Amino acid sequence: MHSPQPDTSKEYIVIPLFETVVYPETRTKLQVETAVGEALIAAMKSNGSASAVGLTAKSGAESAENPTDALYSTGNLLLIAHVQPADDGYLVFAHATSRVKAVTLSEKDGLFHAACEPLPDVPDLDEDTRAKMLADVKAAVHEISGNFQGSEQFTRPVDRMESVDQIMGFVMPFLPIGVAEKQALLETVSVRERHAAFLRLLVNLNESINLRIEVARKASEKVGKANREAMLREQLRVIQEELNGCEGSSGEENYRERIECSTMPDEVRKKALAELKKLESGGSQHHESQGIRNYLDLLLDLPWTVEKKSIDIEEARRVLESNHNGLEKVKERIVQHLAVMKLKEEKQGSILLFAGPPGTGKTSLGKSIADALGRKYVRISLGGVKDEAEIRGHRRTYVGSLPGRIIQGMKRAGAKNPVFILDEVDKLAVSYSGDPASALLEVLDPEQNSTFSDHYLEVPYDLSDVLFIATANSLATIPAPLLDRMELIEISGYTKNEKFAIAKDHLLPETLEEHGLDAGMLQVEDEAVSAIIDRYTREAGVRTLKKQLARIARFVSAKVVSGTVDLPVVVTAEMLPEILGRETVRPDVARKENQPGVVTGLAWTPVGGDILFIEGTFMPGKGKLTLTGQLGDVMKESAQISLSLIRSRLAAVTTGFDFFASDVHIHVPAGATPKDGPSAGVTLFTALASLVTGRAVDPTVAMTGEVTLSGAVLPVGGIKEKVLAAHRAGIRTVILPRENERDLEDVPEDVRSDLSFVTVETIEDVLREALGIELHGPVVPYAGKNRCVPAHNL
């Protein structure tokens, strides 16, 4: 490959080189005056590239009468790669391509210009001799470097070079010889003579170094051990610095300038400069040098200031509406929070906690908030984290220490005010390594997080501009002090209509894109989407719904690739068994008929509401109560209370049932699922009342509520989730405590219109509404069909 040759018809800008001789086939970095740097930048802007000629200044150039006489006429053609400002002028990065001779040299406007002609080599060296000379030069470099510890940094690049001229350009700047000798080597056009002269220089240098080492060794024997060690360490430090300089600066050493120009607070800057001083005094080979570099890089990469940006409430509302169907109260609450942030100049003042079943859009809500605010989005998952150091970081005294996930997230965001999602905060664990939930207390407390302390960082970091949003499926496992620091926004399950809208507007387009399809290749009919929701999913969210749509997309993708179908493929409800298999969920889970002693109850679970069947039976015995179905202590106590109420209220008026000669057995399917809580009290009482009176409860009636020993019905939680579960299961009437009537406002209007609600205050109300029993006289078994409870609309 031929090197670029000078254009003899033009004049080049001259870069004067002081105490430096550049050789062909080398890359170099040169400090130039301001005028030279600006001229090169202007040439690069106008032509797209720039070239210059590098000429070395002669010894005593300062006293020369004519400035042009102060420069050697033989130099190098330099291709300029980059020019950047420096402390005193400009820094030029260039590639020396070929040897040239300046024919004319003139000075204009403070700059030297030269017309040049090429000065080619005389190729008087055959290939065999050239290869032998290359091997000899490399051996000489190895012999010289062998006197110094850590010399592999120097010899490794030399071993990769393929010509003596490359090695010469790499090594010559660091050899202790004068500029005149270096220039004489540059001006030698005979390849044989130039290579032989360079080899002689290396041999002579090796002998000189060996002599100096021997003298130093003999002299060191006359001093004490401590002084000798200090002297050797100082020599090693100097040699290491020279060897490191041989490979050129990578730009990473310029820490001081970066620290001074950074926006970090004064306290942090003092810490960074102190660490830099340790790095400089220890040298690059010190065992702590890499750790200090990593620490300084972290301080320089972390965002320390925030760019104020006004919050557009209407834009936030628009983004939330376009990205999320339903969740109207949740979206309104988020908009209110953003309005407060706008009035308080973006200091959020509280931490949001989105709690709800899986797949209801908690994490995606956080992403939408970031989009609405125009902020960076950072998410970390805390599920299974059981080491406090994951939050606060490891101390730098440990090998392999790292900052905590909070500081890592801030570095990744590159902004001081991101939207920071703490996912699965309810799944933090405790171990011998500490309690990470306790470490989060400082992070999520607006009164403290302005001076958050990370063990690795060792300086306070202000988190007050960060909008933290935590997500959780259950509040039961979140420690009370941590929960108290967050503002709870509960996200309930979706109705069928909301799921349908989400599937059509969001899930189906996303699924098509993920599988390389479009609407012209796959279409899913509305009836098919409804059938998937009813027959193939049972969930509060839409995660399983998306999985089923993905199965359809994969099925169609295989058909499209094989070329066995006509496009577009229209998926109907009748095609679902072929694609998704048999139905996994019955569309109507309410029983068609109930026997006496069987009642449908409503329960809350971490993944949404559900219905459960409470079954009771009796047999000859001595009044013993047996409970099965993995019931917790609270639910067992509710069963005991219910049995006592039955005995106290119905024993005197019920005919044909002897409480003391019969054992009662209550079972709650599914038997393998643990169940607990007081809200099954009304259902347990009704099941026992149905059992002893022989009256069956309408299977489309479900109920919830806590009962007391005095017969009062107390309110319970999770009403919205329970009502949504009843609606999915085909229930038509819901019996609930009167004090929970106000909670029905949270239930979507389309669900309320499909259901009837009956509110009760006492067990007498329950008996009347569920079994048609009035406690005014003897109660006899009801001989007719199941009594149908009238609808009580709100």
Side-chain angles (χ1 to χ4, degrees):
M1 180 177 178
H2 297 285
S3 299
Q5 297 298 319
D7 184 350
T8 56
S9 64
K10 64 176 291 188
E11 286 193 334
Y12 293 90
I13 297 173
V14 174
I15 299 179
L17 307 178
F18 298 95
E19 300 298 326
T20 301
V21 177
V22 176
Y23 294 87
E25 301 185 33
T26 61
R27 297 184 184 276
T28 184
K29 181 171 63 175
L30 305 171
Q31 180 81 26
V32 301
E33 295 181 349
T34 302
V36 177
E38 291 177 349
L40 292 175
I41 292 175
M44 294 180 73
K45 287 183 178 179
S46 61
N47 303 324
S49 63
S51 299
V53 172
L55 299 179
T56 301
K58 301 176 182 178
S59 299
E62 297 83 357
S63 59
E65 294 182 2
N66 186 356
T68 58
D69 295 337
L71 301 176
Y72 287 105
S73 61
T74 300
N76 280 274
L77 180 64
L78 303 177
L79 293 184
I80 309 302
H82 179 61
V83 181
Q84 69 179 38
D87 292 337
D88 186 16
Y90 284 86
L91 203 59
V92 175
F93 297 84
H95 180 205
T97 60
S98 60
R99 187 185 300 102
V100 296
K101 184 176 182 63
V103 179
T104 62
L105 190 62
S106 60
E107 184 180 7
K108 301 175 185 177
D109 301 327
L111 296 177
F112 289 114
H113 294 78
C116 302
E117 63 181 18
L119 195 63
D121 286 338
V122 176
D124 54 355
L125 201 64
D126 58 68
E127 290 299 325
D128 292 340
T129 307
R130 188 187 299 269
K132 185 178 184 306
M133 187 73 75
L134 177 62
D136 291 342
V137 167
K138 289 184 177 181
V141 172
H142 275 275
E143 189 172 352
I144 294 174
S145 303
N147 295 305
F148 306 105
Q149 185 178 357
S151 61
E152 61 275 1
Q153 298 182 63
F154 184 74
T155 57
R156 193 181 300 116
V158 172
D159 290 337
R160 293 196 297 265
M161 294 179 184
E162 298 178 352
S163 72
V164 174
D165 286 316
Q166 283 184 302
I167 299 175
M168 186 186 309
F170 179 70
V171 171
M172 283 298 291
F174 311 104
L175 296 185
I177 59 176
V179 172
E181 284 187 87
K182 294 181 180 180
Q183 179 68 22
L185 199 62
L186 173 67
E187 295 178 357
T188 304
V189 295
S190 167
V191 175
R192 176 186 295 274
E193 293 179 9
R194 185 170 66 246
H195 290 184
F198 177 54
L199 183 58
R200 285 195 300 272
L201 277 175
L202 294 178
V203 173
N204 294 336
L205 180 63
N206 184 37
E207 294 175 354
S208 174
I209 289 176
N210 287 330
L211 178 60
R212 284 189 289 170
I213 291 176
E214 180 64 21
V215 171
R217 185 186 64 79
K218 292 180 179 180
S220 67
E221 294 176 355
K222 300 179 182 179
V223 298
K225 180 178 181 180
N227 291 337
R228 182 168 63 252
E229 182 178 352
M231 181 185 66
L232 292 175
R233 286 187 180 277
E234 180 62 19
Q235 289 181 347
L236 178 62
R237 186 182 69 81
V238 173
I239 294 170
Q240 286 173 340
E241 289 179 356
E242 290 184 359
L243 290 177
N244 290 336
C246 289
E247 291 185 335
S249 172
S250 63
E252 297 178 356
E253 303 300 330
N254 195 16
Y255 282 117
R256 186 174 299 277
E257 180 181 352
R258 295 171 61 195
I259 292 171
E260 294 295 344
C261 295
S262 72
T263 57
M264 61 180 65
D266 291 340
E267 179 184 359
V268 181
R269 184 175 285 105
K270 290 179 181 178
K271 176 68 174 175
L273 291 174
E275 292 294 324
L276 178 60
K277 186 176 180 181
K278 289 165 56 177
L279 177 64
E280 292 172 342
S281 62
S284 62
Q285 300 301 314
H286 193 267
H287 68 279
E288 291 185 356
S289 62
Q290 189 57 49
I292 296 175
R293 283 193 179 91
N294 293 339
Y295 179 71
L296 292 176
D297 288 339
L298 175 64
L299 292 182
L300 291 167
D301 290 342
L302 279 175
W304 295 100
T305 57
V306 61
E307 180 182 350
K308 295 296 183 181
K309 188 175 182 180
S310 179
I311 297 176
D312 189 339
I313 297 298
E314 293 305 319
E315 173 66 12
R317 196 187 300 274
R318 185 195 66 78
V319 171
L320 291 172
E321 288 293 339
S322 63
N323 291 352
H324 298 272
N325 290 83
L327 305 176
E328 299 304 328
K329 290 194 173 183
V330 174
K331 291 186 287 190
E332 185 59 33
R333 176 63 192 86
I334 292 172
V335 170
Q336 293 171 3
H337 185 82
L338 299 182
V340 173
M341 289 175 57
K342 182 178 179 67
L343 293 176
K344 295 178 65 178
E345 298 182 353
E346 299 196 15
K347 296 289 184 179
Q348 78 274 12
S350 61
I351 313 298
L352 298 181
L353 170 62
F354 294 155
T360 50
K362 299 182 295 297
T363 305
S364 61
L365 271 172
K367 183 68 170 65
S368 295
I369 293 174
D371 293 340
L373 295 177
R375 294 191 184 188
K376 295 296 182 68
Y377 169 80
V378 182
R379 172 188 170 274
I380 63 172
S381 177
L382 299 177
V385 171
K386 55 184 179 180
D387 188 349
E388 179 186 350
E390 293 281 348
I391 307 298
R392 287 192 176 276
H394 304 80
R395 298 192 184 279
R396 290 201 293 136
T397 53
Y398 296 105
V399 176
S401 58
L402 291 170
R405 296 195 181 193
I406 303 299
I407 295 299
Q408 290 183 40
M410 296 302 298
K411 175 184 174 182
R412 193 164 63 248
K416 196 166 177 288
N417 62 341
V419 175
F420 206 121
I421 305 297
L422 302 172
D423 226 353
E424 311 291 357
V425 73
D426 57 324
K427 296 177 178 60
L428 290 168
V430 180
S431 72
Y432 67 90
S433 301
D435 182 4
S438 298
L440 276 178
L441 294 178
E442 183 183 5
V443 177
L444 300 182
D445 190 343
E447 302 297 326
Q448 302 181 46
N449 63 10
S450 60
T451 56
F452 172 67
S453 175
D454 184 276
H455 290 158
Y456 183 90
L457 197 61
E458 296 181 350
V459 291
Y461 191 81
D462 185 3
L463 296 173
S464 60
D465 293 300
V466 181
L467 176 55
F468 284 104
I469 299 176
T471 71
N473 297 133
S474 172
L475 304 180
T477 56
I478 302 178
L482 184 59
L483 186 60
D484 184 59
R485 282 165 167 77
M486 299 183 285
E487 185 165 350
L488 176 63
I489 298 180
E490 293 189 274
I491 301 177
S492 304
Y494 295 109
T495 65
K496 178 182 177 180
N497 290 343
E498 289 173 340
K499 289 183 180 180
F500 180 85
I502 292 171
K504 296 291 289 184
D505 297 341
H506 301 285
L507 300 184
L508 191 54
E510 290 176 6
T511 302
L512 292 177
E513 183 178 355
E514 290 172 0
H515 291 79
L517 302 172
D518 55 43
M521 303 170 72
L522 170 60
Q523 299 174 8
V524 183
E525 290 187 347
D526 292 352
E527 292 78 7
V529 176
S530 296
I532 295 172
I533 296 172
D534 290 338
R535 304 173 192 171
Y536 291 91
T537 66
R538 177 185 289 176
E539 57 176 346
V542 292
R543 193 164 289 159
T544 305
L545 176 57
K546 185 175 181 179
K547 291 179 181 178
Q548 300 292 17
L549 292 174
R551 290 179 63 185
I552 294 176
R554 289 194 296 270
F555 177 87
V556 174
S557 296
K559 298 288 186 181
V560 170
V561 171
S562 63
T564 57
V565 293
D566 296 327
L567 299 180
V569 178
V570 180
V571 176
T572 63
E574 292 74 20
M575 297 169 61
L576 294 180
E578 176 190 357
I579 300 174
L580 303 180
R582 61 181 179 84
E583 299 176 4
T584 56
V585 177
R586 289 183 301 164
D588 184 3
V589 297
R591 296 186 177 182
K592 295 182 179 179
E593 184 176 354
N594 275 349
Q595 298 177 356
V598 179
V599 181
T600 305
L602 298 174
W604 179 92
T605 71
V607 295
D610 202 358
I611 70 168
L612 52 84
F613 298 100
I614 294 182
E615 303 173 343
T617 188
F618 64 88
M619 63 211 74
K622 300 180 180 179
K624 178 183 176 182
L625 175 63
T626 302
L627 301 170
T628 56
Q630 288 270 43
L631 307 186
D633 292 338
V634 177
M635 200 164 179
K636 290 177 181 178
E637 291 175 357
S638 295
Q640 293 283 358
I641 293 171
S642 299
L643 182 58
S644 298
L645 282 172
I646 293 294
R647 284 176 173 173
S648 63
R649 302 298 178 91
L650 296 183
V653 296
T654 303
T655 60
F657 189 88
D658 187 350
F659 287 96
F660 299 98
S662 302
D663 289 344
V664 179
H665 185 173
I666 296 178
H667 177 66
V668 185
T673 304
K675 310 167 192 71
D676 202 5
S679 63
V682 167
T683 314
L684 289 164
F685 171 80
T686 306
L688 291 174
S690 171
L691 181 65
V692 300
T693 61
R695 299 191 177 202
V697 178
D698 190 329
T700 64
V701 174
M703 56 195 71
T704 186
E706 179 182 357
V707 295
T708 67
L709 201 56
S710 62
V713 177
L714 302 182
V716 293
I719 293 298
K720 179 181 178 181
E721 289 79 6
K722 293 175 181 178
V723 171
L724 291 177
H727 184 260
R728 288 196 301 266
I731 298 297
R732 294 291 173 261
T733 303
V734 177
I735 299 175
L736 69 158
R738 184 153 298 164
E739 291 187 39
N740 283 125
E741 186 174 345
R742 60 179 178 270
D743 295 321
L744 294 175
E745 297 176 1
D746 297 332
V747 179
E749 176 61 33
D750 59 322
V751 175
R752 291 206 306 266
S753 62
D754 286 347
L755 295 174
S756 298
F757 298 95
V758 177
T759 58
V760 294
E761 288 184 301
T762 64
I763 60 167
E764 285 79 11
D765 297 337
V766 175
L767 290 174
R768 180 176 61 254
E769 299 296 342
L771 296 171
I773 296 176
E774 297 284 352
L775 294 183
H776 301 310
V779 178
V780 297
Y782 186 67
K785 295 182 179 179
N786 295 340
R787 182 175 183 275
C788 201
V789 179
H792 291 246
N793 290 313
L794 293 179

